[in-house]
Amino acid sequence: MLGVCYYPEHWPRERWAEDARRMRELGLTYVRIGEFSWSRVEPEEGRLEFEWLDEAIQTLGREGLKVVLGTPTATPPKWLIDKHPDILAYDAQGRVRKFGSRRHYSFSSRSYLEHSRRIVTLFARRYGTNPHVAGWQTDNEYGCHDTTRSYGPEDLWAFRQWLKVRYGDITALNAAWGNVFWSMEYQSFEEIELPNLTVTEANPSHWLDFYRFSSDQVAAYNRMQVEILRQHSPGRFIIHNFMGYTPDFDHFKLAEDLDVAGWDSYPLGFTDMGVLPVSPQDKLRYAHTGHPDMAAFHHDLYRGVKGRWWVMEQQPGPVNWAAHNPSPAPGMVRLWTWEAIAHGAEVVSYFRWRQFPQAQEQFHAGLNRPDFQPDVGYFEAQQVARELQALPLPQTQTAPVALVFDYEADWLYRALPQGQEFSYRDLSWAFYQALRSLGLDVDFVRPGGSLEGYRLVVVPSLPIVREEALRALRSAQAPVVLGPRTGSKTESLSIPPELPPGPLQALLPIKVARVESLRPGVDFEVAWQGERYRSSIWREWIESRLEPLGNFADGKGAIFQNNYLHYLAFWPSQEFLIAYLGRLASNLGLQVQLLPDGLRIRRRGELTFAFNYAPHPQAAPAPKGAEFVLGGPTVEAYGVSAWRKT
């Protein structure tokens, strides 16, 4: 189904009924409203003005539209900030982040927690059983604008309480952090400060616990809202709209309290801003389409985060917030919509119904222009709505490949990178791109999640291997490819006493004796299967009784295998990953096809979809005699084809 984001408070009331009618005629089902409405609902403390929102919901409901109502906590109003300035967050330089935009609060502010409970309860009691309210969105884009972590007095107080619960006594914390080093030992939790603004780098264990704490604060804040909504609004689903790669909190953990995971898809802006690492050449090549793996990476990630998932905001035209904001190529709004559906999205909701001619987002396009006329995205959404009516969709199925994705690994490598270029994001992206280039479907799985049913498992890097992750890897019924630095750290961020890969040595008899990080341009070679592959960034020296499958130029082992476990002792290049994973997948009987630039495929049940990001037609990689149900054997430029085997 399709939906749209709508802000009735931005438009004259006499427009609402016509807007609702046109939404229905367009083929939309869901309408998200209300997530930025606090100042209109409560212009002064205790003075509530819900009547306009009552009317808006009723107007949409009369047209058969289902409302997803947002809690308005992403934008606390000015009067609340003036009364409780402790709500405001602090940046890492210790400066207050002021009122005047959005997300201007700390998750640790006790007064904001109290007022958030109050406003969410008011919303839930008033609309919890409204027949037109089908579901709720908590807040809006947690972590956007670098707002997960705050460095103010409220955060310090909460961090100390979190540490007390985690460690129990200060002696245990000193031992875990290794505070005997540099005479950093504490006598009480009240002595501990936040890890920013130290003379040189703070203890990486201190940083890692601060990252864990900050993530837990987001999850706890969201859980507070969910509990209120479940109490007063039974039978309605609860969703949150996550962002493009925002690793500062654990989305798997937060989503445990949700029914649906949503995310906000802006392929052009994310490509231009390098949300995932895109080369300068690809930024130019895909300026009007977005990188072919940009949206898909997030579709697969958020399907893994919850299972049920939506695109809550789909880009319908140029945005306003990137460094450069091109217009989508003709057909791309339709392509992005179908791509999300092929990956299993229940709903694709466009942002927004109409472009607003004022304030920060006045250049952000909608389905309609500010003069109330349809924009290009309107007609492409209309086309998808018609196509959906004619094409019954099968259920999604488990992909053949699992990618184990770990938010904590991202935090750990920020706290202790041991090389400027070592990025968990970049390494995960490299594995994902290689698999997609081979035409393979991918599921994201959290560490310790079930690996049952997968034909191939890739673990870009898992520095802390907890017992549940070890059990999952031990019970895997498929080859498992482990990337560098897996098993390299303990829970408290120290080197394992048995050396890396730590507990994995019980399954994989290797020992990492030394590591090095390299400046870009300082390359080395890895020889495998008669070929040589250039690599850089990271290399490890391995001690093992195993005979290596591949070697460095100095003859030392680079690739090791023991039974079903494979270990890469280096940062793998894209060329190597395509060759290595392609060989493994082919040997397993998986259908592997190296796709041309700009062409990607995704299977949903018995249907296979092809998406062409290129400015020229390309042949669909369909078997002979396939029955096409969308498009044809030639995938048009910026077009979509879908087929089933006959």
Side-chain angles (χ1 to χ4, degrees):
M1 291 180 280
L2 303 180
V4 74
C5 305
Y6 185 52
Y7 300 91
E9 65 269 32
H10 295 176
W11 309 106
R13 289 196 184 197
E14 55 267 23
R15 294 289 317 187
W16 295 356
E18 181 182 354
D19 283 342
R21 174 183 59 80
R22 291 182 60 226
M23 291 175 193
R24 174 183 56 78
E25 292 174 350
L26 180 58
L28 306 181
T29 301
Y30 286 96
V31 184
R32 182 190 72 170
I33 66 173
E35 76 272 19
F36 300 126
S37 63
W38 196 336
S39 67
R40 281 297 173 96
V41 165
E42 191 179 22
E44 299 175 6
E45 185 172 13
R47 178 160 69 89
L48 301 175
E49 297 184 358
F50 275 113
E51 291 76 19
W52 69 270
L53 189 52
D54 297 344
E55 182 181 341
I57 292 172
Q58 182 68 21
T59 300
L60 294 166
R62 275 198 301 265
E63 293 292 340
L65 297 164
K66 301 177 182 181
V67 172
V68 180
L69 186 56
T71 61
T73 50
T75 50
K78 185 64 163 66
W79 61 260
L80 182 58
I81 298 300
D82 290 344
K83 184 175 182 180
H84 298 284
D86 58 285
I87 289 173
L88 295 173
Y90 286 67
D91 71 11
Q93 300 305 311
R95 300 170 298 199
V96 175
R97 304 186 74 179
K98 300 186 296 182
F99 179 88
S101 56
R102 63 176 182 176
R103 299 219 52 78
H104 43 279
Y105 69 83
S106 164
F107 288 100
S108 297
S109 168
R110 286 163 282 185
S111 57
Y112 193 58
L113 192 64
E114 174 188 342
H115 279 277
S116 295
R117 285 195 188 101
R118 182 181 62 83
I119 194 67
V120 173
T121 301
L122 288 169
F123 267 63
R125 284 176 174 168
R126 190 172 189 96
Y127 302 111
T129 58
N130 187 300
H132 305 308
V133 174
W136 295 86
Q137 175 187 294
T138 55
D139 205 270
N140 184 79
E141 295 182 343
Y142 290 137
C144 189
H145 316 306
D146 191 23
T147 54
T148 297
R149 299 164 188 154
S150 176
Y151 301 83
E154 290 288 282
D155 312 291
L156 175 58
W157 180 88
F159 183 46
R160 289 169 173 171
Q161 307 314 304
W162 185 91
L163 290 171
K164 288 177 184 178
V165 172
R166 181 174 178 84
Y167 291 102
D169 67 77
I170 198 65
T171 303
L173 180 145
N174 282 325
W177 287 9
N179 283 336
V180 67
F181 188 77
W182 282 357
S183 192
M184 294 184 294
E185 291 165 300
Y186 300 105
Q187 300 303 310
S188 73
F189 288 101
E190 283 65 36
E191 292 182 355
I192 297 174
E193 301 290 339
L194 298 177
N196 61 320
L197 298 178
T198 55
V199 173
T200 185
E201 64 265 25
N203 188 326
S205 298
H206 192 165
W207 271 115
L208 181 58
D209 270 347
F210 180 67
Y211 293 160
R212 288 167 171 158
F213 152 78
S214 300
S215 176
D216 285 353
Q217 293 297 89
V218 183
Y221 181 79
N222 184 74
R223 186 176 307 116
M224 171 273 294
Q225 297 204 17
V226 169
E227 289 172 352
I228 294 169
L229 295 172
R230 296 220 187 278
Q231 178 184 354
H232 297 290
S233 190
R236 273 72 175 176
F237 66 82
I238 302 176
I239 190 172
H240 177 73
N241 60 325
F242 298 105
M243 277 288 295
Y245 198 83
T246 309
D248 295 345
F249 65 96
D250 187 335
H251 295 33
F252 290 105
K253 185 171 184 177
L254 187 143
E256 291 172 0
D257 297 314
L258 302 174
D259 300 304
V260 186
W263 88 280
D264 296 346
S265 177
Y266 294 95
L268 301 190
F270 291 162
T271 295
D272 185 81
M273 297 294 285
V275 167
L276 293 170
V278 178
S279 69
Q281 296 81 3
D282 279 351
K283 285 186 178 183
L284 292 174
R285 181 186 305 176
Y286 298 117
H288 293 278
T289 64
H291 189 282
D293 298 319
M294 181 66 69
F297 178 97
H298 294 93
H299 296 334
D300 291 337
L301 170 61
Y302 290 116
R303 189 180 66 256
V305 161
K306 194 59 193 178
R308 293 185 60 195
W309 68 283
W310 292 20
V311 172
M312 185 58 87
E313 297 183 14
Q314 176 59 66
Q315 177 175 359
V319 298
N320 69 292
W321 43 263
H324 315 93
N325 297 288
S327 179
M332 285 309 301
V333 175
R334 172 177 174 260
L335 184 152
W336 293 329
T337 305
W338 270 115
E339 187 171 45
I341 292 166
H343 283 255
E346 293 183 6
V347 173
V348 177
S349 175
Y350 301 98
F351 185 90
R352 50 193 289 166
W353 176 246
R354 183 179 295 114
Q355 184 176 351
F356 189 56
Q358 294 178 289
Q360 286 93 327
E361 293 185 354
Q362 59 185 270
F363 281 115
H364 197 306
L367 293 179
N368 292 274
R369 304 182 320 214
D371 64 355
F372 304 99
Q373 296 303 305
D375 204 346
V376 174
Y378 180 99
F379 298 106
E380 294 193 26
Q382 185 179 59
Q383 181 179 353
V384 176
R386 291 170 179 165
E387 290 167 339
L388 280 169
Q389 288 182 333
L391 180 58
L393 289 170
Q395 294 296 313
T396 55
Q397 70 284 344
T398 300
V401 182
L403 188 153
V404 176
F405 187 83
D406 182 26
Y407 284 96
E408 187 180 48
D410 189 286
W411 313 335
L412 190 150
Y413 293 142
R414 290 171 190 258
L416 193 63
Q418 187 57 17
Q420 183 173 301
E421 282 71 35
F422 200 105
S423 159
Y424 181 72
R425 178 199 67 167
D426 295 12
L427 189 58
S428 300
W429 173 244
F431 274 83
Y432 182 80
Q433 278 194 281
L435 293 166
R436 285 268 291 171
S437 298
L438 293 165
L440 295 168
D441 296 336
V442 182
D443 284 347
F444 281 64
V445 179
R446 69 193 301 178
S450 173
L451 300 174
E452 183 179 354
Y454 291 105
R455 308 279 301 280
L456 176 63
V457 177
V458 299
V459 185
S461 189
L462 186 62
I464 299 174
V465 180
R466 294 183 173 83
E467 183 57 37
E468 60 269 23
L470 188 62
R471 282 198 304 269
L473 293 172
R474 191 188 298 272
S475 62
Q477 301 167 332
V480 178
V481 180
L482 304 167
R485 298 182 77 173
T486 294
S488 62
K489 297 299 169 192
T490 67
E491 174 85 15
S492 58
L493 192 50
S494 63
I495 297 172
E498 69 272 45
L499 297 187
L504 277 172
Q505 290 188 35
L507 305 177
L508 184 65
I510 65 172
K511 185 171 291 191
V512 180
R514 178 187 294 179
V515 302
E516 69 172 350
S517 62
L518 298 169
R519 179 181 295 276
V522 179
D523 296 343
F524 54 85
E525 285 189 343
V526 174
W528 173 72
Q529 294 288 311
E531 299 290 338
R532 295 184 179 276
Y533 299 90
R534 304 296 298 178
S535 190
S536 187
I537 298 178
W538 187 264
R539 178 193 163 168
E540 300 173 354
W541 276 257
I542 304 294
E543 296 176 355
S544 179
R545 60 176 172 78
L546 297 174
E547 187 69 25
L549 301 183
N551 296 87
F552 298 112
D554 59 10
K556 297 188 181 299
I559 307 165
F560 292 87
Q561 179 184 357
N562 189 49
N563 297 320
Y564 62 95
L565 287 179
H566 301 240
Y567 187 84
L568 309 179
F570 60 99
W571 183 288
S573 67
Q574 192 69 187
E575 294 74 19
F576 172 82
L577 285 174
I578 289 173
Y580 196 79
L581 298 177
R583 173 72 65 89
L584 266 178
S586 295
N587 291 342
L588 292 166
L590 296 177
Q591 183 180 353
V592 173
Q593 45 192 331
L594 187 58
L595 300 172
D597 288 346
L599 191 70
R600 291 292 184 265
I601 62 173
R602 187 60 167 82
R603 298 161 188 86
R604 177 168 176 156
E606 74 275 11
L607 294 181
T608 300
F609 291 81
F611 305 97
N612 187 9
Y613 281 73
H616 52 81
Q618 302 203 69
K624 186 176 181 180
E627 176 193 357
F628 281 84
V629 296
L630 197 66
T634 297
V635 191
E636 299 301 327
Y638 316 127
V640 182
S641 289
W643 63 89
R644 62 169 61 95
K645 294 180 181 178
T646 54

